[in-house]
Amino acid sequence: MKYFVLLVFSVIISCKEQVSVKEISKLNGYWEIEKVELPDGNSKEYKINESIDHFELNDSLKGFRKKVILQLDGKLLTNDVKENIEAIITDGLLFLNYSTDYAEWKEEVLELSDKKLVLKNESGITYFYKRKHVDNE
């Protein structure tokens, strides 16, 4: 029985749908954090966000992410601070490698669709985003 449970668990894990590089163009645009899940199981819901993330990747899978603030008049307020991104596949998993002048880190893309983005960082924190439509798109 113990081996049967282990086999079933292995099949479930291996059936996890993976995000492919072909879908990476869905990342382009504006994303708002809905929820963050911590490794200990705690989570935090975000009802209102001061800033949203703008992702932009080109055909060579390189680009940037920057924080923007949506103003009351619909215009975007931003600065020149951006994080360079390169999308790569490692062991069948899609990762976003980030770099700035001060640090490098990566996040695994767990889910990516037209409306939903889920990223998990190296500390085990999972970020759940929803697409944010802005007039600049």
Side-chain angles (χ1 to χ4, degrees), residues 22-29 31 112-115 131:
K22 292 181 236 173
E23 297 173 287
I24 200 70
S25 65
K26 293 178 182 176
L27 184 66
N28 289 337
W31 294 90
L112 177 57
S113 70
D114 292 329
K115 297 180 181 181
R131 182 163 307 274

Side-chain angles (χ1 to χ4, degrees), residues 8-26:
V8 169
F9 182 74
S10 297
V11 169
I12 290 170
I13 295 296
S14 65
C15 291
K16 176 186 168 192
E17 192 173 317
Q18 296 177 342
V19 180
S20 75
V21 170
K22 292 181 236 173
E23 297 173 287
I24 200 70
S25 65
K26 293 178 182 176

Side-chain angles (χ1 to χ4, degrees), residues 46-99:
Y46 288 84
K47 304 267 186 242
I48 299 173
N49 291 302
E50 290 182 12
S51 66
I52 55 179
D53 290 352
H54 177 215
F55 288 87
E56 197 66 46
L57 287 156
N58 60 28
D59 291 340
S60 64
L61 305 179
K62 294 182 181 183
F64 65 87
R65 173 174 74 176
K66 53 186 335 188
K67 300 285 185 186
V68 297
I69 299 172
L70 188 59
Q71 301 295 293
L72 292 176
D73 62 3
K75 294 182 181 178
L76 297 175
L77 179 64
T78 186
N79 59 29
D80 292 331
V81 177
K82 56 176 142 171
E83 301 159 349
N84 297 311
I85 300 176
E86 182 174 12
I88 62 161
I89 296 276
T90 303
D91 297 327
L93 303 173
L94 179 61
F95 289 93
L96 300 177
N97 286 346
Y98 298 90
S99 66

